[in-house]
Amino acid sequence: MNGPHDIGGMHNMEPIPIEENEPVFHSEWEAKVFAMSFATFGNYFPVDETRHASERMPPGQYLSSSYYERWLYALELLITEHNFVTKAEIEERINQLAQSKT
Amino acid sequence: MTAAQAEELLRNGLSCRAENDTFAQFQVGDCVRARVMHPQTYTRLPRYVRGKVGIIVKDRGVYVFPDTVGQRLDTKPQHVYSVQFAAQELWGTNAPANDTLFIDLFDDHLEAV
């Protein structure tokens, strides 16, 4: 698909920032997203289906999201499309967690 | 997938090479055109090479086809080639005259010129 991932030839993208001593993960949630996604994808989805899932992120959102935000989008999209969980169940769980923190 | 299998996969990656051989549509040295297509579904053919003419410089062997695997269709094993495009073919006469780009493309991405 002609998605936001296909940026070859696009102007004004600026150079890729290179960090010195770059950590594997920049925060704990990234590690969790990676672990959840890797386990789920490895068990249930062909690798190209997972790539296509992140490419289906709306272009404006994709270009302003970080790498692991795109992984999370792909995970939520695939598990809801394949009826593992519903969007409502994800929202409900987010609300539960938000309330337990206050 | 067990934890041990996950570690193995992370360390060594995943091979998408296909076991069976299949007919190669093109040979090293052939001129090819990347097809013009705009599927809504998954494709590994970038926009900037579509419709452009390049040369097959290497046959990398037979691999499953991501464009169909991504839709859970047939694995459609086929040859993958390193295709060389002149920078000026892709980006016009302002691009450096001697620069070229190599990109791996599948049989189904290409047509004879």
Side-chain angles (χ1 to χ4, degrees):
Chain A
M1 72 178 287
N2 295 341
H5 62 288
D6 191 1
I7 60 172
M10 197 183 285
H11 290 136
N12 292 337
M13 293 301 285
E14 306 292 333
I16 296 169
I18 307 288
E19 290 176 57
E20 242 179 89
N21 305 317
E22 185 183 16
V24 176
F25 300 107
H26 287 82
S27 57
E28 202 187 327
W29 72 264
E30 292 187 341
K32 286 180 178 170
V33 165
F34 177 73
M36 286 192 301
S37 307
F38 191 79
T40 309
F41 294 166
N43 281 317
Y44 298 105
F45 304 110
V47 63
D48 299 299
E49 188 177 16
T50 68
R51 291 204 178 106
H52 187 226
S54 59
E55 293 170 8
R56 283 189 286 152
M57 198 172 194
Q61 195 184 340
Y62 183 98
L63 290 171
S64 54
S65 294
S66 69
Y67 182 70
Y68 286 107
E69 283 171 340
R70 293 171 188 164
W71 274 69
L72 182 59
Y73 179 88
L75 178 64
E76 290 188 12
L77 183 67
L78 289 177
I79 61 176
T80 50
E81 276 187 348
H82 289 268
N83 299 316
F84 291 6
V85 296
T86 64
K87 282 181 183 169
E89 284 172 321
I90 294 176
E91 288 302 321
E92 191 185 322
R93 184 72 179 133
I94 290 171
N95 288 335
Q96 275 175 5
L97 290 169
Q99 278 171 11
S100 67
K101 279 191 177 164
T102 52
Chain B
M1 184 170 65
T2 64
Q5 285 168 331
E7 191 174 335
E8 161 78 15
L9 192 56
L10 281 170
R11 284 192 192 286
N12 300 320
L14 178 72
S15 172
C16 294
R17 195 177 262 273
E19 297 293 321
N20 47 332
D21 200 3
T22 182
F23 179 72
Q25 304 288 334
F26 303 104
Q27 305 299 319
V28 169
D30 283 357
C31 251
V32 289
R33 186 188 309 278
R35 290 182 185 277
V36 176
M37 54 167 159
H38 296 273
Q40 291 276 353
T41 50
Y42 189 67
T43 182
R44 299 283 280 194
L45 179 65
R47 256 173 293 181
Y48 64 86
V49 300
R50 294 177 196 166
K52 308 292 183 175
V53 173
I55 297 170
I56 305 271
V57 292
K58 188 169 181 168
D59 185 337
R60 297 201 180 279
V62 178
Y63 291 81
V64 298
F65 190 44
D67 298 24
T68 46
V69 171
Q71 302 175 67
R72 299 186 172 224
L73 301 175
D74 184 46
T75 56
K76 233 181 164 185
Q78 54 191 271
H79 282 258
V80 176
Y81 312 91
S82 176
V83 185
Q84 183 179 22
F85 294 91
Q88 291 196 340
E89 167 75 2
L90 301 178
W91 309 113
T93 50
N94 284 340
N98 295 324
D99 283 5
T100 61
L101 176 139
F102 297 86
I103 180 166
D104 286 348
L105 296 172
F106 288 72
D107 259 327
D108 278 10
H109 292 145
L110 302 168
E111 59 193 14
V113 175

